[in-house]
Amino acid sequence: MKTVRNVVCPFCGSLCDDIEVDIEDNRVVKVRKGCAISATKFTKYNEERIYKPRIDGREVSLEEAINEAVEILANAKYPALYGWSCTSTEAINIGIEIAELVGGVMDNTASVCHGPTILGEQDAGISTCTLGQVKNRAELIIYWGCNPAHAHPRHMARYSAASRGRFVKGRKERTVIVVDVRKTHTAKTADIFIQIKPNSDFELLTALRWAVKNGELEQEEIAGIPAEKIEELADMLISCRFGALFFGLGLTMSAGKARNIEAAVNLVRELNNYTKFVMVPMRGHFNVTGANEVMAWATGFPFAVDFSRGYPFYNPGDTTFVDVLTRGDCDAALIVASDPVSGFPAEAIRNLAKIPVITLDPHETLTTMISKVVIPTAVVGIEAEGSAYRMDAVPLRLKKLVEPPPGILSDEEVLKMILKKLKERVK
Amino acid sequence: MIKVILITGRSLNQGVSKELGKFSKEYMEKVAVCELDPEDLKLLGVSSGQNVKVKTKYGEVVVKATESTQAPHKGIAFIPYGPWASILMPSATESTGMPSLKGIEATIEPAKDEEILDPEKLIKMVVGREP
Amino acid sequence: MGEITLKPKVTFKVPIIAETITPDNFAGKPIEEIEKLEMWEGNRKTTLGDLFEAAGSSGEAPADTKIIIEGDVRKVRRIGYKMTDGQILIKGSVGMYLGEKMEGGKIIVEGDADSWVGAGMKGGQIEIKGNAGDYVGAPYRGDTKGMKKGTIIIHGNAGNEVGCWMRGGTIIVKGNAGLFPGIHMKKGTILVEGDCAGRCGAMMKGGKIAILGYVPSVLPSFTFEEIKKSFKVKGEKIKGPFYLFTGDLNENGAGKLYVSTEKNKHLQFYEKYLE
Amino acid sequence: MELLIKNGYVYDPINEINGEKMDIAVKDGKIVESVSSDAKVIDATNMLVMPGGVDIHSHIAGSKVNSGRILRPEDHYKDVKPRTAITRAEVGHTVPSTYTIGYRYARLGYTTVIEAASPPLKTRHTHEELNDIPLIDKSCYLVLDNNWIVLDYLSQGEIDKCAAFIGWIFKALKGYAIKIVNPGGVELWGWGKNVESLDDQVPPFDITPREIIRGLCKINKMLNLPHTIHLHTNNLGKPGNYRTTIETMDTVSDLADGKPNIHITHVQFCGYGGDSWITLRSGAPEIAKYVNNHNHVTIDLGQVVFGDATTMTGDGPFQFILQNLTGNKWKNADVEAEGSAGIVPYKYKRKNFVNAVQWTIGLELALLIKDPWRVFLTTDHPNAGTFMKYPRVITWLMSKVAREKVLNKINKRAKKRSTLPSIDREYTFYEIAIITRAATAKALNLANKGHLGVGADADIAIYNINPMEIDPSKEYKKVRRALKRAAYTIKGGEIIVKDGEIVKSFIGETFWVKPAIPEDLEKDMLREVSEKFKEYYTVSLENYIIGENELASSKPIAVKTNL
């Protein structure tokens, strides 16, 4: 038996890098330090595995599956390539080259997660930081529309509310505020809970900014919160030495979407005239941030890139996968490390089911169910190494702990094979 | 029948059971659920563990009602991300790329005798054919 | 006036980029040359003639060229791109980016138009008889150069963010509008004759917005000024009375927001500030 | 493979070749004495031949640059080029994609570029982007002056351990030189504050900017690093800051031993006289005077070019001021225990008084500093303009007429206050070769770059212009056109550009220094550092280290230290 330390957990955007894993006979037998999800991820990754490539449900050789994938992509007039947030940055990078070569739309799951955060940033910017800044300095922490107790189980202990830093030693030295529509498990640990009416975050953020600017609120109640309480809250935000706002899909998915983020950005910007304030998106999948980073450096744009005319064109709402599907625009799709069928609206799924879909995934998913070509791959971060970016864009190296099942290659290797064949096929 | 605002999101159970497989019993048990405020359950005359039907403008689905541990949130229903939630979502993104997965008007009614569809049946229902 | 009629040869599946369909590109050209104009069908470069049946003859100049499009062009994008003069009549519904960066002339759509109608428009007129999508007159992401001049009239409803980053011109929505009309607006006028989903004028610095129907609320960073009897759009008086607000104060803005008093009794509480 | 470049007019200042008509022979990627008759011949008759350009300070890769890309889609829409059989798609104007950066530098005849500021914690990201920049050789400076471990050691007077830590960090993270960015000020920005002078205290470290600079300057010498400390001053971007700049240079003058021991970067941004934006004037004459009298200093320009720019720097507090001045969108990104970064889009306008003064400062510096071996051409890409504008800057240096043309269009008040109209100096091609390749290669101590002597890397730029016939003073437009699109760029003996087009693409090397540290000292230091890591950082020390296998083409440079 061997123990591997400082393993990076390939589940959520927290990328905890202190996991200890015991390995025996090429299997993970014990996980220490990880959360419940992490422990399950490391030990149960062989559940519902796919072991053989398939075309139309028929088991085939890897070569056949790759040839079929290449034919589908090369013949498509408007293929879409989607997913990417649960694989290595290196694999995504090859995906980008494939998209460019076949003139497709390259999108990652940020579009249905923190895509609006990026759109908000593109209009207003963002004052942000790595998580250690929060750990070391933050006296006041807000969780807005996010529930780390469920979605990022170790976040509060490792990086935020209860973390121990150089200048702020722990939970007692911090004030924690939660803004949510439910009294979430995170909210139950907070010093202050603001229960906001659904779909009114924009109004509250706007009112807070106006109160921080010392403006007068003419409405008695905003977003279900009395004006005096908003003014009190504004005073609290101004008075801390270092404040951090963590925000989640409660902002990006509710009415206003990108504009909610922009309102939050503007509030934080305003606060920096009085104190130090930052905000950090609670990114979901372990490498969705890496997908944004590598797409940005290779194409200029972090998601939703349309290569149909040979160069990158970007306009979320047009070039995002959900929209491309809902309009029925694409005529083929390559899905890597994602399961859109279990998360997309019905109309989008219906249209996806009408076109040839190629899926790379270690596991059976609802998407592999409707795919024409299925190529099984190794589990990144357990059976394959590579780089990944934490929610605060800190890059880390995922480790290879065990060998994948015989004949199973990594996403990176399979995509390289597809790219190579495509290069021969498309001149 | 009650009117609610439907939100979706991650839950710890959803995260853990997802790693056990999308076709596992655990996944269906933990994800095909609707968390309701105790008062809303009372209004519905449904007890925790019984099935309810959730309807929106975009679709309807039968899931298991559970009493929320994150109450109070009267008038708000929560379904974890997954195939059961997404059927209820609008496909329009208001040209942002992001469907509105939170804050949707919905109704909930008791459906004690109706079956919760497994993922396979669910997809068959959505795409209208054998996957 | 020369007239060219275009009819799709097939039902389009993938997006068609048709920025060459403008009176400027058609004027003075025989049909054979018009048919050679470049187009994109998904990732394939093709020609207008491959995708459309073209008939008729164009005028000498853009000003006396009218393009009539029949059939389903919902997948066809960028029609009227940068056009300076002449007319385009679309006898159905049309795809995204209609009249993008248009400088002059007129476009009429008998059906609906998808998002980004008149994106970054600099002049001319667009009239949509049906509904329009989101981002009417808006620029692309990150850009601040919204509609500068010209008029867009939508007879039906419009989506979110009508007149986003608008710098001038007029937008009239005869039906309802979605969230955020006039967001980031600097100058120009937006008139919504129906209801509005709210957040009018968010982050606006200048310009005028009037809502004749219902608005759920006014943003807290707007201040109530007075009740006004009427509102002027292109010299024409629109009868109120209106609650007049100024904002967005968060941006030190001086935009004017007019909201019908009659349709918005729930805003009556603002009247206490009159005393 | 063999190449023979025949009959070109060669400018190779390191070997004191000044426009001599000669042949250059290339074999296996190196310059050689002679080649066989099988060599491929490039006819360079009536052409200008120089070593490949070496850019000493440019923001080309890493988290800050990528944040600029993400922040500014509007920068990219209009500047695109479809993929070809050889090249990937090009995109981006002031913040281009990695591929675009490589191609565009190559087209200018540049073959080596250093990323100017990489925060250690995000250096893995920097390398991932460097891996994707084609054609050019590259490296990165590591920002170390606001690093807590460095500050702890310096404030405790443990200079040996500090040196060992810095030496280790170069090995661990694969960087090239010590970058200093607003020492002390950036740490205080963690609390939303800044320093105002070299002697302000930086709590809780009980240290001043002056002590940080001197400490790192000493360590640089102890480690025997190839480049000097590379310094972005305190008070950057503030009227009157030329005094801080001179004070900064002077604070290490006593540590010098006849060679440069400090490089002050993008001096235009820290060369401001006056005491407010209204009374702003150029501080270039004073700085030039100091540089002319002290040979321990090198500088680069940070020349402003009118038009679009994206300001991006590790100087977080300065960017905060700039966003307040402009109202433009603003990204701030602080890095735990290490530093910060700020990004604000910017447009330099001729009629704007401040921008016009900024424009004159860079040129004054270049023209008033007598020794071209100590003043280098940069635009601090993309801060003062993109590197694509280098040919334009070169013509301003070579032609008084070209300068006057701009002077007549700039803000009148700025013109009146500037000494630029009275300066007659015009650079020669030989001097241009110095400030764009020879001197920068020398300052970086890259023995095989920046010259065409036997044994040098065969990185060569050939421009379609006859230096014997042309009068750059009058025909500056021709010069500009020729420099914009090299007739040939040769990288490592391969022709990569022909007639301004990319004809071959591959990935160049990433070089980094590998200082030798005594084992015991390193052990002691690492024991302490790993403890501190647990307190300061959110990643483990093991995961901080970047494996050599993570570099696409790694070129370590072993360094003997004085530890």
Side-chain angles (χ1 to χ4, degrees):
Chain A
M1 192 195 81
K2 76 170 175 181
T3 299
V4 187
R5 295 197 164 77
N6 299 318
V7 173
V8 178
C9 173
F11 183 79
C12 80
S14 298
L15 280 187
C16 298
D17 78 330
D18 62 342
I19 315 292
E20 289 180 13
V21 173
D22 292 344
I23 295 160
E24 215 172 284
D25 297 333
N26 199 44
R27 288 215 52 148
V28 177
V29 291
K30 195 165 171 75
V31 184
R32 281 182 295 274
K33 293 190 179 174
C35 67
I37 302 174
S38 176
T40 317
K41 166 115 203 180
F42 277 110
T43 51
K44 303 290 184 187
Y45 64 91
N46 274 331
E47 302 288 330
E48 297 184 359
R49 284 298 289 264
I50 311 169
Y51 293 98
K52 286 270 183 238
R54 304 193 292 255
I55 299 175
D56 293 325
R58 175 173 53 87
E59 284 189 0
V60 296
S61 69
L62 180 60
E63 197 188 353
E64 277 175 89
I66 283 175
N67 286 343
E68 183 69 23
V70 165
E71 277 314 298
I72 290 169
L73 291 171
N75 287 326
K77 284 182 175 169
Y78 200 68
L81 296 83
Y82 179 78
W84 310 107
S85 54
C86 290
T87 189
S88 68
T89 311
E90 291 86 345
I92 305 165
N93 206 357
I94 296 160
I96 297 166
E97 191 169 358
I98 293 175
E100 191 180 295
L101 191 63
V102 301
V105 172
M106 177 82 181
D107 191 19
N108 54 61
T109 65
S111 62
V112 295
C113 162
H114 275 281
T117 300
I118 293 169
L119 296 182
E121 188 182 331
Q122 288 175 336
D123 269 336
I126 189 168
S127 168
T128 189
C129 66
T130 68
L131 296 168
Q133 282 289 92
V134 176
K135 172 180 112 142
N136 286 317
R137 300 182 201 259
E139 292 179 350
L140 184 143
I141 292 175
I142 308 172
Y143 299 100
W144 193 312
C146 60
N147 191 4
H150 280 255
H152 303 85
R154 292 180 74 210
H155 191 280
M156 289 191 283
R158 250 176 87 74
Y159 307 121
S160 52
S163 67
R164 189 182 161 79
R166 182 167 189 167
F167 301 120
V168 185
K169 301 290 182 196
R171 176 65 182 85
K172 279 188 192 148
E173 294 180 21
R174 308 185 204 269
T175 304
V176 175
I177 302 170
V178 168
V179 184
D180 210 305
V181 298
R182 295 185 302 155
K183 193 163 187 184
T184 59
H185 290 140
T186 305
K188 285 177 178 160
T189 71
D191 299 308
I192 297 165
F193 172 50
I194 312 276
Q195 192 157 15
I196 185 180
K197 278 188 189 160
N199 289 328
S200 58
D201 305 80
F202 187 87
E203 280 76 9
L204 183 55
L205 288 161
T206 303
L208 265 173
R209 182 179 172 202
W210 184 222
V212 166
K213 282 175 84 105
N214 243 335
E216 195 188 330
L217 294 168
E218 295 178 5
Q219 299 165 32
E220 282 173 11
E221 196 184 281
I222 293 143
I225 316 295
E228 310 86 73
K229 190 149 187 199
I230 293 170
E231 281 159 4
E232 257 173 57
L233 196 57
D235 288 342
M236 275 184 77
L237 303 190
I238 290 167
S239 315
C240 74
R241 251 179 110 201
F242 185 113
L245 166 67
F246 291 101
F247 62 102
L249 306 186
L251 280 188
T252 66
M253 285 177 171
S254 60
K257 296 171 185 168
R259 298 309 182 187
N260 297 340
I261 311 305
E262 196 179 351
V265 166
N266 287 335
L267 168 64
V268 168
R269 186 169 174 161
E270 199 68 58
L271 284 165
N272 275 289
N273 290 324
Y274 303 89
T275 178
K276 178 77 182 200
F277 227 98
V278 294
M279 57 195 281
V280 181
M282 300 289 267
R283 306 299 303 262
H285 295 302
F286 75 84
N287 199 24
V288 64
T289 307
N292 294 144
E293 294 290 343
V294 61
M295 280 190 67
W297 84 58
T299 76
F301 307 111
F303 66 114
V305 170
D306 176 347
F307 281 108
S308 61
R309 275 164 291 162
Y311 59 83
F313 170 71
Y314 166 81
N315 194 18
D318 166 359
T319 55
T320 27
F321 191 45
V322 173
D323 299 278
V324 167
L325 277 182
T326 303
R327 286 190 309 262
D329 279 351
C330 63
D331 55 353
L334 170 68
I335 311 291
V336 178
S338 178
D339 184 15
V341 174
S342 68
F344 274 20
E347 188 61 30
I349 299 170
R350 264 192 288 279
N351 285 335
L352 185 64
K354 286 181 198 156
I355 59 172
V357 176
I358 307 146
T359 299
L360 271 57
D361 207 295
H363 299 108
E364 298 287 2
T365 67
L366 277 67
T367 304
T368 61
M369 270 173 64
I370 64 143
S371 298
K372 183 174 178 65
V373 181
V374 177
I375 303 178
T377 53
V379 180
V380 178
I382 299 178
E383 296 168 340
E385 64 172 352
S387 112
Y389 287 69
R390 202 166 68 181
M391 59 168 67
D392 55 352
V394 168
L396 286 158
R397 190 85 187 154
L398 304 168
K399 290 188 164 98
K400 177 175 175 174
L401 303 170
V402 296
E403 290 298 324
I408 306 273
L409 304 177
S410 67
D411 292 323
E412 188 185 352
E413 290 164 318
V414 172
L415 289 164
K416 268 187 186 159
M417 291 166 79
I418 292 177
L419 176 64
K420 189 165 173 253
K421 282 251 165 84
L422 270 169
K423 276 186 175 165
E424 290 159 14
R425 175 81 170 57
V426 188
K427 283 299 164 191
Chain B
M1 189 196 82
I2 55 166
K3 279 189 180 176
V4 295
I5 297 289
L6 177 65
I7 59 173
T8 67
R10 281 180 218 290
S11 77
L12 192 60
N13 284 331
Q14 172 254 355
V16 172
S17 61
K18 194 172 100 171
E19 294 306 312
L20 297 168
K22 292 273 171 78
F23 302 96
S24 67
K25 215 177 87 204
E26 290 87 346
Y27 184 67
M28 197 161 144
E29 267 174 15
K30 305 294 187 196
V31 179
V33 298
C34 179
E35 295 177 15
L36 287 166
D37 188 89
E39 282 190 42
D40 287 334
L41 275 175
K42 223 178 268 173
L43 273 176
L44 271 174
V46 165
S47 50
S48 201
Q50 291 182 326
N51 290 355
V52 289
K53 182 179 272 180
V54 187
K55 285 185 187 170
T56 66
K57 241 199 297 189
Y58 316 99
E60 56 180 71
V61 74
V62 176
V63 290
K64 185 173 65 186
T66 61
E67 185 180 319
S68 177
T69 56
Q70 308 192 69
H73 51 83
K74 195 170 158 11
I76 294 173
F78 174 88
I79 303 181
Y81 292 144
W84 294 274
S86 48
I87 282 181
L88 301 166
M89 302 304 152
S91 54
T93 72
E94 292 142 348
S95 306
T96 65
M98 169 67 88
S100 299
L101 300 178
K102 292 189 196 280
I104 307 142
E105 290 175 4
T107 62
I108 300 185
E109 57 196 82
K112 284 173 198 163
D113 304 321
E114 287 186 59
E115 181 201 11
I116 300 175
L117 296 182
D118 66 26
E120 231 158 315
K121 284 185 188 143
L122 205 64
I123 293 312
K124 196 179 152 189
M125 185 188 88
V126 172
V127 305
R129 65 167 169 85
E130 210 57 58
Chain C
M1 175 74 82
E3 273 189 17
I4 299 271
T5 305
L6 303 177
K7 280 183 204 166
K9 285 184 169 169
V10 290
T11 306
F12 300 132
K13 159 82 183 151
V14 300
I16 309 294
I17 307 291
E19 57 194 31
T20 45
I21 301 184
T22 64
D24 302 73
N25 282 323
F26 283 23
K29 288 191 181 116
I31 283 286
E32 307 82 67
E33 262 188 63
I34 290 171
E35 283 176 340
K36 281 185 201 146
L37 287 170
E38 183 187 291
M39 263 185 204
W40 285 84
E41 182 185 20
N43 54 24
R44 311 292 152 99
K45 202 184 259 188
T46 173
T47 61
L48 185 145
D50 280 339
L51 300 175
F52 291 93
E53 206 78 67
S57 61
S58 63
E60 273 308 302
D64 43 42
T65 298
K66 181 174 179 180
I67 303 170
I68 299 162
I69 304 176
E70 291 171 6
D72 183 356
V73 286
R74 282 176 301 175
K75 295 268 182 182
V76 185
R77 304 172 173 188
R78 291 221 166 90
I79 291 173
Y81 180 75
K82 284 190 176 173
M83 72 185 266
T84 62
D85 212 338
Q87 275 189 52
I88 300 177
L89 171 64
I90 298 166
K91 296 186 156 177
S93 294
V94 68
M96 278 182 270
Y97 314 113
L98 176 75
E100 180 181 343
K101 299 206 172 122
M102 177 177 181
E103 291 171 19
K106 189 169 183 179
I107 302 177
I108 298 169
V109 181
E110 293 186 348
D112 301 335
D114 210 332
S115 298
W116 285 280
V117 168
M121 183 173 177
K122 290 176 185 166
Q125 192 181 332
I126 301 178
E127 198 169 343
I128 313 289
K129 298 282 172 71
N131 302 321
D134 307 295
Y135 296 104
V136 171
Y140 289 152
R141 312 293 177 181
D143 202 340
T144 57
K145 295 189 172 70
M147 177 174 179
K148 200 174 175 185
K149 259 186 177 172
T151 305
I152 301 176
I153 300 167
I154 293 148
H155 292 266
N157 303 327
N160 282 359
E161 309 214 2
V162 169
C164 170
W165 289 108
M166 192 166 172
R167 297 175 290 166
T170 306
I171 300 177
I172 298 167
V173 181
K174 293 189 174 287
N176 304 326
L179 286 170
F180 299 113
I183 185 167
H184 285 298
M185 185 177 187
K186 287 179 181 159
K187 242 175 128 178
T189 305
I190 299 175
L191 171 66
V192 178
E193 297 188 5
D195 302 336
C196 166
R199 300 176 186 170
C200 319
M203 298 175 248
M204 80 191 294
K205 291 206 166 138
K208 286 190 279 186
I209 305 171
I211 313 289
L212 306 192
Y214 173 79
V215 179
S217 67
V218 171
L219 286 172
S221 52
F222 278 68
T223 186
F224 174 60
E225 301 284 357
E226 58 183 313
I227 294 177
K228 279 269 190 187
K229 284 203 181 106
S230 62
F231 171 80
K232 259 188 184 175
V233 181
K234 303 189 97 179
E236 196 193 324
K237 232 184 206 174
I238 312 283
K239 278 210 171 154
F242 297 103
Y243 293 120
L244 170 62
F245 297 87
T246 303
D248 183 330
L249 302 175
N250 272 340
E251 299 285 336
N252 304 321
K256 300 282 174 222
L257 172 62
Y258 295 78
V259 179
S260 158
T261 60
E262 270 166 45
K263 297 279 174 67
N264 294 286
K265 302 276 192 225
H266 62 294
L267 300 181
Q268 249 173 16
F269 70 90
Y270 279 109
E271 290 178 23
K272 71 181 173 205
Y273 295 106
L274 286 173
E275 291 141 25
Chain D
M1 198 185 103
E2 295 184 328
L3 270 182
L4 185 64
I5 301 157
K6 279 185 84 84
N7 288 327
Y9 291 109
V10 176
Y11 290 80
D12 178 7
I14 286 179
N15 295 305
E16 294 175 9
I17 294 166
N18 183 1
E20 200 177 308
K21 188 171 194 167
M22 60 192 281
D23 298 348
I24 306 280
V26 171
K27 191 180 175 182
D28 298 333
K30 297 277 178 191
I31 311 276
V32 292
E33 288 284 359
S34 61
V35 282
S36 71
S37 54
D38 296 340
K40 181 184 163 68
V41 175
I42 292 175
D43 182 7
T45 309
N46 295 330
M47 290 192 194
L48 173 67
V49 179
M50 285 184 183
V54 178
D55 197 337
I56 198 163
H57 187 109
S58 181
H59 297 274
I60 54 170
S63 56
K64 169 175 40 59
V65 179
N66 219 32
S67 291
R69 293 188 188 104
I70 294 173
L71 184 67
R72 301 205 62 189
E74 78 281 8
D75 176 77
H76 317 331
Y77 296 130
K78 280 172 283 179
D79 200 344
V80 290
K81 205 171 168 186
R83 66 174 283 273
T84 69
I86 297 159
T87 58
R88 298 286 297 271
E90 289 180 40
V91 59
H93 186 58
T94 65
V95 257
S97 71
T98 48
Y99 305 107
T100 313
I101 287 172
Y103 304 144
R104 288 185 182 173
Y105 262 115
R107 287 194 190 105
L108 291 182
Y110 271 71
T111 48
T112 305
V113 183
I114 323 283
E115 159 55 42
S118 182
L121 183 62
K122 294 200 168 173
T123 296
R124 173 171 280 115
H125 181 168
T126 308
H127 281 298
E128 290 203 85
E129 287 195 26
L130 291 178
N131 286 346
D132 266 5
I133 297 180
L135 297 171
I136 57 175
D137 287 341
K138 57 254 160 173
S139 190
C140 61
Y141 304 141
L142 300 180
V143 184
L144 294 169
D145 57 315
N146 292 292
N147 185 298
W148 284 1
I149 293 169
V150 169
L151 293 181
D152 282 345
Y153 275 140
L154 284 181
S155 64
Q156 289 151 12
E158 301 221 51
I159 196 149
D160 279 354
K161 275 190 193 149
C162 194
F165 172 66
I166 289 175
W168 172 83
I169 218 167
F170 281 113
K171 288 195 294 181
L173 304 185
K174 284 52 183 179
Y176 194 73
I178 298 174
K179 176 71 185 294
I180 300 174
V181 181
N182 185 5
V186 172
E187 164 50 30
L188 286 182
W189 175 239
W191 301 113
K193 301 187 169 82
N194 199 353
V195 295
E196 284 175 355
S197 88
L198 285 178
D199 299 310
D200 283 8
Q201 278 293 324
V202 185
F205 293 96
D206 186 27
I207 201 168
T208 64
R210 189 188 302 280
E211 287 161 354
I212 300 171
I213 295 165
R214 284 180 62 84
L216 290 172
C217 187
K218 284 178 199 162
I219 287 167
N220 203 79
K221 198 168 164 187
M222 288 162 75
L223 288 170
N224 198 21
L225 293 173
H227 185 34
T228 61
I229 53 171
H230 194 102
L231 189 143
H232 162 136
T233 60
N234 300 105
N235 286 330
L236 184 128
K238 293 183 197 162
N241 62 8
Y242 82 92
R243 289 187 210 91
T244 310
T245 303
I246 291 174
E247 211 183 332
T248 304
M249 295 170 172
D250 207 49
T251 196
V252 295
S253 63
D254 63 315
L255 303 175
D257 54 4
K259 286 188 306 210
N261 70 346
I262 187 167
H263 177 80
I264 309 283
T265 190
H266 43 67
V267 172
Q268 174 275 127
F269 286 116
C270 55
Y272 302 155
D275 47 26
S276 72
W277 291 116
I278 297 158
T279 60
L280 183 77
R281 63 167 181 83
S282 164
E286 288 91 340
I287 290 173
K289 191 175 158 201
Y290 186 91
V291 174
N292 284 336
N293 291 325
H294 296 81
N295 61 10
H296 70 288
V297 187
T298 60
I299 71 153
D300 68 85
L301 298 180
Q303 174 63 41
V304 160
V305 187
F306 296 113
D308 281 328
T310 302
T311 67
M312 52 172 68
T313 156
D315 195 346
F318 167 63
Q319 293 295 75
F320 178 69
I321 297 170
L322 190 62
Q323 62 90 21
N324 259 337
L325 284 173
T326 61
N328 291 344
K329 57 187 170 185
W330 167 55
K331 172 142 188 176
N332 176 74
D334 296 347
V335 180
E336 62 207 58
E338 294 185 349
S340 180
I343 303 159
V344 180
Y346 197 82
K347 190 170 190 154
Y348 294 96
K349 295 174 185 153
R350 286 194 298 224
K351 295 295 177 204
N352 176 297
F353 168 68
V354 171
N355 295 164
V357 172
Q358 288 178 304
W359 177 78
T360 65
I361 291 173
L363 295 176
E364 283 174 346
L365 286 166
L367 296 165
L368 294 175
I369 292 174
K370 289 175 192 146
D371 179 4
W373 290 93
R374 293 196 291 119
V375 52
F376 316 139
L377 172 62
T378 66
T379 56
D380 186 18
H381 165 84
N383 278 289
T386 87
F387 64 82
M388 292 295 285
K389 303 291 186 185
Y390 285 176
R392 190 173 289 268
V393 179
I394 287 170
T395 55
W396 290 332
L397 296 177
M398 296 189 86
S399 164
K400 189 167 194 237
V401 182
R403 293 199 289 270
E404 273 165 357
K405 272 210 130 155
V406 181
L407 273 168
N408 289 335
K409 286 182 190 165
I410 67 168
N411 179 286
K412 294 239 158 47
R413 197 152 57 91
K415 185 186 172 184
K416 245 187 250 165
R417 289 200 189 175
S418 173
T419 62
L420 191 59
S422 66
I423 302 174
D424 292 327
R425 181 175 168 192
E426 290 177 334
Y427 269 58
T428 63
F429 281 115
Y430 189 72
E431 287 173 317
I432 292 297
I434 294 172
I435 67 164
T436 57
R437 43 265 280 162
T440 43
K442 202 176 141 207
L444 292 164
N445 211 354
L446 290 169
N448 298 328
K449 303 286 184 198
H451 74 103
L452 298 173
V454 169
D457 290 343
D459 299 349
I460 307 162
I462 306 172
Y463 302 105
N464 195 356
I465 192 169
N466 184 340
M468 299 301 137
E469 280 182 2
I470 196 155
D471 177 359
S473 176
K474 293 198 185 74
E475 297 167 283
Y476 57 90
K477 279 186 183 156
K478 276 189 189 167
V479 173
R480 195 168 75 211
R481 271 196 292 273
L483 296 184
K484 253 165 99 170
R485 290 162 53 89
Y488 292 92
T489 305
I490 293 156
K491 170 71 188 44
E494 305 268 2
I495 299 171
I496 57 172
V497 172
K498 189 166 185 293
D499 299 328
E501 295 304 328
I502 306 294
V503 293
K504 184 166 192 170
S505 188
F506 49 82
I507 295 294
E509 285 169 337
T510 301
F511 49 88
W512 51 282
V513 293
K514 205 176 174 181
I517 307 158
E519 229 172 272
D520 291 350
L521 179 63
E522 189 173 76
K523 246 191 197 164
D524 273 2
M525 176 277 295
L526 278 178
R527 205 170 20 240
E528 292 172 8
V529 166
S530 59
E531 280 309 304
K532 286 178 187 238
F533 237 79
K534 283 180 201 149
E535 189 189 346
Y536 299 169
Y537 283 88
T538 52
V539 303
S540 69
L541 187 66
E542 180 187 336
N543 287 321
Y544 190 71
I545 298 168
I546 299 164
E548 196 173 352
N549 62 336
E550 294 183 51
L551 274 56
S553 179
S554 167
K555 193 184 181 191
I557 298 171
V559 173
K560 280 188 196 147
T561 63
N562 306 322
L563 285 177

